[in-house]
Amino acid sequence: MLSVEAEGLDVAAVLAHYEAHGFAHLGRVLDDAGVEALRERADDLMLGRVVYPGMFFQPDATTGRYEDAPLGLGWQGPSLEYRKLEKLEKDPRFLAWLENPLFERITRARIPGDIVLYRAILFHKGPAGGSNLPFHQDGGKLWGLTREPDLQIWTALDDAPEGGGCLEVIPGSHRAGLVTALGGVIPPDRVEAADVEAHVVSLPVRAGEALLVHNHVWHRSGRGRPGQRRRAFSACYMSADTTCVRKKKAPRVFPPVFRHPVRGG
């Protein structure tokens, strides 16, 4: 599924930009056939044509407000208005994409030792525009880990134009770490104090393009344009040494993705 353009990507330069700014463009890395295959499978899952036990579904808010998105409902029947689908590593098409050779090069350059997957997730803004997502950070106690992951690769399956659901970031904000120990949505008073509108950078992308997103960089996305869907697939990678520390449920076990080969004698 890798595009021809991906073959010559300068991974070192991409990671240098990522380290400095908390994000980086990979350009068009998913070819046309791959885009169509992942779009088709995303819709198969939302419409119940393909089913994997244990997948997570979150319906979107009918109001367009992130705060109104229902929690804990799970699968609500066939719909193209789901906001999130998780555990996409269960699907062979999405698994093949998150394990592609380019992503392996990038993750191995960033993460020593064996590498596991924290999550493989579809973010979706449906034909009605979906909902906004306020500035947040992906980490903290909400994630329940012994070590903070810091590498996500976000692939656009539809165009995400400026003013139409693209990611927006505050460059360099990852260097200050978590705003709150809990993580997640950044408190409004901290957003206001940071004067974010003077520093925000939009990251419009076309279908097939991908971005590196640091877990701690402040990022958000607005609603999509009515009648135009915005599907994006994100995989978060981390060291296999990371473990789950949650207490209310059994600790999560993270699927391996890239193992270092064992050297023979």
Side-chain angles (χ1 to χ4, degrees), residues 95-260:
L95 180 63
W97 179 240
L98 69 89
E99 290 185 332
N100 75 70
L102 173 62
F103 290 6
E104 182 173 10
R105 286 172 57 204
I106 291 169
T107 55
R108 287 200 185 282
R110 181 80 186 182
I111 303 171
D114 291 343
I115 298 168
V116 297
L117 185 72
Y118 175 77
R119 70 180 184 186
I121 184 169
L122 183 83
F123 293 110
H124 178 237
K125 298 180 189 292
S131 58
N132 70 305
L133 179 60
F135 274 117
H136 65 284
Q137 296 174 298
D138 294 323
K141 291 182 179 179
L142 281 174
W143 281 41
L145 301 172
T146 54
R147 179 187 302 181
E148 289 287 308
D150 66 5
L151 179 62
Q152 303 178 90
I153 306 182
W154 191 98
T155 306
L157 304 184
D158 298 293
D159 294 350
E162 189 166 0
C166 73
L167 287 182
E168 298 177 342
V169 300
I170 304 298
S173 53
H174 63 298
R175 295 195 296 269
L178 289 169
V179 174
T180 68
L182 186 62
V185 174
I186 298 169
D189 61 324
R190 299 295 295 273
V191 173
E192 183 178 0
D195 191 20
V196 294
E197 301 306 330
H199 301 95
V200 66
V201 171
S202 296
L203 306 178
V205 289
R206 302 294 299 271
E209 294 183 358
L211 302 164
L212 301 187
V213 182
H214 194 290
N215 289 55
H216 289 174
V217 77
W218 294 22
H219 56 291
R220 71 180 180 188
S221 64
R223 300 190 69 196
R225 294 176 180 173
Q228 298 182 13
R229 299 175 65 193
R230 198 226 68 179
R231 288 160 288 192
F233 173 66
S234 178
C236 178
Y237 303 87
M238 63 187 186
S239 169
D241 294 339
T242 309
T243 58
C244 178
V245 295
R246 71 182 185 183
K247 304 295 185 182
K248 292 183 178 180
K249 298 180 181 179
R252 290 180 58 186
V253 177
F254 302 107
V257 282
F258 303 126
R259 295 184 186 273
H260 275 278

Side-chain angles (χ1 to χ4, degrees), residues 5 15 22 32 61 85 97 99 134 149 165 187 200 210:
E5 297 95 320
L15 287 174
D32 290 343
L85 282 67
W97 179 240
E99 290 185 332
V200 66

